[in-house]
Amino acid sequence: MDQLQAVVLAAGQGTRMKSNKHKVLHKVCGKPMIDYIVDSLQELGIKQPIIVTGYQSEALEEHLGERALFVRQEEQLGTAHAVMQAKELLAEKQGTTLVMHGDHPLFTTETLERLIHHHREQEAAATILTATLPDPTGYGRVIRGEDQLVDGVVEQKDASEEERAICEVNTGTYCFDNEKLLTSLSQVSNDNAQGEYYLPDVITILRSGEERVEATLMDDVNEAHGVNHRVQLAEAEKIMRRRILHQHMVNGVTIIDPDNTYVEAGVTIGSDTVIHPGTHLRGATKIGSDCTIGPQADLTNVVIADSVTVQYSVVLDSQLGEGVNVGPYARIRPGSKLEKQAKVGCFIDMKNAHIGEGTKVPHHAYIGDAKLGKKVNIGCGTITVNYDGRKKQQTVIADGAFVGCNVNLIAPVSVGEGAYVAAGSSINQDVPADGFAIARQRQTVKPQYVKRMKDKL
Ligand code: UD1
Ligand code: MG
């Protein structure tokens, strides 16, 4: 079986991004560009692609770790020079070498498979993946001979006016016969407008040696989109977003308005869930079936069971059990877990809270560092006073307890099973099970007092 290995070029500074961060670490739909490429290559069976690094190599090496092998290109002298840096690693290999650019995150694994298949079937020395773009500006143009075979690639800066009119471009993705790649690379010169060693020159060298050079034209030009600056980054985001949403819809998720729904690459959603506009689903968020999410839900790393509703709310690093209802206007912060059928209503701020099954926190409350049992009812305006200025303290409320409105629970404090706390109380001593606590001043009523005052004046 023909061996397959890959070299990914990522040594360039990406000057046009105007960023302190490495270009390929910029995210598209929540996932760094380079990860899309490495994940695809892994799907193709390449366990450790060779990454050519240069600018900010440490950041890239640290990010990818064991997922890749690295070679450094100290000076960025061009794409052919970049591939040359992998020479020693490639010398041990045979078969097909796939070369890609780190700034092209949109190729699907299927497209790469098709390219490899074509290359092998034609027994070509090189096969170049091309695309026909409505605006080819900036890309290398593909020059085809009268036989329609590829003669070479001309870079924008070296192209004549006639050549610039060609819309078929080099996507920067190629298959090479490994051995032939290595021999031709050493013949590439830097005699061109940019004084660089161009990888596409390998194509011309192979052709002049009577080698077979093939090109496969892509069906979906959206995949050919590269990222050199922020405008292209936003375009890549848009293409990827549509692709992600499309896949969820195919899987049985209703997306009311795909133009106003933002789902990152790592999110999973169960069937018959409906996603309303203005919703952002981020990180490792996992949503069950039959849920209603949004409008305006912003969820990061949230694990959600089935039949959950979240409207106009922000939830971070938390878990929501089956049938839970959140919002509108709740903020649930990290470390919270809402058990089955719990309800967290409007204007609730919550942090590191465990909310038992069927418990209700319907409106205007702060619940932080707290453990609430089953079927607890929390009245409007209740606050767990969890911070004494130095440390965070815990509040524990047992099953079936009832906390009236506007209660301060001054932690550490506990309310026993079935206990009641009267509205307006500030509680700083534990309330026993089935007990009743009231901690507020007794009301004084002065009959006719107002009238007497008014008469006096
Ligand atoms: C390159 C191709 C062009 C193609 C286009 C597709 C060449 C000469 N041109 O142009 O035909 O249409 O990609 O997007 O290959 N890199 C290195 N070391 C270097 C130079 C570049 O690692 O010395 C890396 C960059 O980090 C980048 C990739 O190679 O990931 C492409 O470099 P870039 O400068 O973006 O090339 P383009 O001008 O886009
Ligand atoms: Mg580029």
Side-chain angles (χ1 to χ4, degrees):
M1 174 65 187
D2 188 20
Q3 272 187 14
L4 179 67
Q5 51 277 331
V7 180
V8 182
L9 309 187
Q13 193 176 344
T15 328
R16 290 166 278 180
M17 288 294 279
K18 304 211 168 114
S19 173
N20 288 325
K21 190 157 78 178
H22 197 294
K23 175 160 80 173
V24 302
L25 292 179
H26 279 266
K27 291 178 178 175
V28 171
C29 293
K31 178 167 161 175
M33 281 194 251
I34 191 74
D35 287 21
Y36 286 99
I37 294 168
V38 171
D39 287 354
S40 273
L41 293 174
Q42 243 149 23
E43 281 176 44
L44 293 171
I46 302 168
K47 286 205 184 72
Q48 287 183 307
I50 302 163
I51 315 283
V52 184
T53 67
Y55 174 74
Q56 289 194 357
S57 38
E58 290 86 4
L60 206 50
E61 286 166 18
E62 193 189 302
H63 174 74
L64 288 171
E66 296 289 302
R67 289 190 286 159
L69 299 172
F70 302 95
V71 290
R72 290 214 182 163
Q73 184 193 24
E74 298 301 343
E75 248 188 306
Q76 280 79 61
L77 301 179
T79 45
H81 181 259
V83 179
M84 273 291 246
Q85 309 312 303
K87 206 167 124 189
E88 275 175 32
L89 289 176
L90 291 176
E92 306 161 0
K93 310 279 187 189
Q94 287 156 6
T96 305
T97 298
L98 180 64
V99 177
M100 298 181 73
H101 292 178
D103 59 356
H104 273 261
L106 295 164
F107 293 120
T108 61
T109 310
E110 293 71 44
T111 296
L112 299 178
E113 260 166 359
R114 220 174 302 133
L115 168 70
I116 296 162
H117 180 76
H118 184 99
H119 174 77
R120 285 176 170 167
E121 204 181 44
Q122 298 298 317
E123 294 177 3
T127 306
I128 166 171
L129 186 63
T130 67
T132 304
L133 300 184
D135 177 13
T137 314
Y139 289 90
R141 310 298 205 282
V142 176
I143 312 295
R144 288 185 185 256
E146 274 173 11
D147 50 6
Q148 280 309 302
L149 291 177
V150 177
D151 276 345
V153 172
V154 180
E155 292 307 306
Q156 170 88 21
K157 287 187 180 152
D158 302 291
S160 65
E161 207 153 315
E162 206 180 312
E163 286 164 337
R164 284 185 188 184
I166 297 171
C167 288
E168 186 179 7
V169 304
N170 168 24
T171 64
T173 300
Y174 321 75
C175 275
F176 292 102
D177 172 86
N178 187 61
E179 209 176 307
K180 288 173 183 163
L181 169 67
L182 292 178
T183 7
S184 328
L185 272 177
S186 54
Q187 298 168 43
V188 173
S189 84
N190 64 349
D191 182 18
N192 52 54
Q194 301 186 86
E196 284 184 11
Y197 295 90
Y198 291 163
L199 182 60
D201 283 2
V202 167
I203 303 286
T204 325
I205 292 165
L206 287 170
R207 273 291 273 168
S208 59
E210 302 293 310
E211 292 286 356
R212 187 173 184 86
V213 175
E214 285 284 319
T216 50
L217 188 62
M218 300 181 47
D219 309 331
D220 181 0
V221 294
N222 281 332
E223 289 185 38
H225 189 89
V227 177
N228 292 308
H229 49 73
R230 309 265 180 168
V231 177
Q232 288 175 335
L233 181 67
E235 283 162 11
E237 175 93 17
K238 198 169 168 183
I239 294 166
M240 188 61 82
R241 180 157 68 230
R242 286 307 292 234
R243 194 187 288 176
I244 291 170
L245 293 173
H246 181 93
Q247 196 51 49
H248 286 298
M249 291 186 271
V250 167
N251 291 345
V253 178
T254 297
I255 314 262
I256 301 290
D257 181 4
D259 288 335
N260 286 297
T261 304
Y262 308 83
V263 178
E264 288 187 355
V267 173
T268 62
I269 311 175
S271 65
D272 287 325
T273 284
V274 180
I275 311 289
H276 289 271
T279 291
H280 297 256
L281 305 177
R282 308 174 201 266
T285 293
K286 288 187 174 26
I287 299 177
S289 300
D290 289 308
C291 295
T292 304
I293 308 294
Q296 314 280 359
D298 191 336
L299 315 181
T300 306
N301 302 326
V302 187
V303 179
I304 297 183
D306 298 339
S307 307
V308 170
T309 300
V310 181
Q311 291 176 309
Y312 300 97
S313 293
V314 178
V315 188
L316 297 166
D317 301 299
S318 291
Q319 295 173 50
L320 311 180
E322 195 183 321
V324 159
N325 203 317
V326 172
Y329 311 110
R331 178 170 75 144
I332 298 180
R333 289 188 279 145
S336 298
K337 185 172 183 194
L338 279 56
E339 301 289 355
K340 267 189 200 170
Q341 309 297 336
K343 179 177 167 56
V344 170
C346 66
F347 303 108
I348 308 295
D349 191 14
M350 186 169 276
K351 182 213 100 181
N352 189 28
H354 185 261
I355 308 295
E357 189 177 328
T359 285
K360 290 184 176 136
V361 190
H363 22 233
H364 298 267
Y366 170 60
I367 306 293
D369 302 306
K371 191 170 182 321
L372 277 56
K374 293 179 192 160
K375 294 210 153 95
V376 170
N377 191 83
I378 301 290
C380 179
T382 289
I383 291 169
T384 54
V385 184
N386 62 329
Y387 187 46
D388 60 13
R390 287 189 315 131
K391 271 198 308 203
K392 299 289 164 77
Q393 307 279 6
Q394 215 197 16
T395 302
V396 179
I397 305 175
D399 296 351
F402 181 95
V403 177
C405 290
N406 252 342
V407 168
N408 293 315
L409 295 158
I410 302 170
V413 75
S414 68
V415 177
E417 193 172 331
Y420 269 50
V421 176
S425 296
S426 279
I427 300 295
N428 61 359
Q429 290 166 37
D430 292 349
V431 183
D434 298 314
F436 174 75
I438 179 162
R440 63 180 189 227
Q441 260 196 325
R442 238 171 223 292
Q443 182 171 327
T444 311
V445 178
K446 300 184 176 177
Q448 295 297 311
Y449 182 83
V450 176
K451 186 165 184 305
R452 278 206 311 277
M453 291 297 285
K454 280 186 181 161
D455 290 349
K456 227 186 203 171
L457 291 168

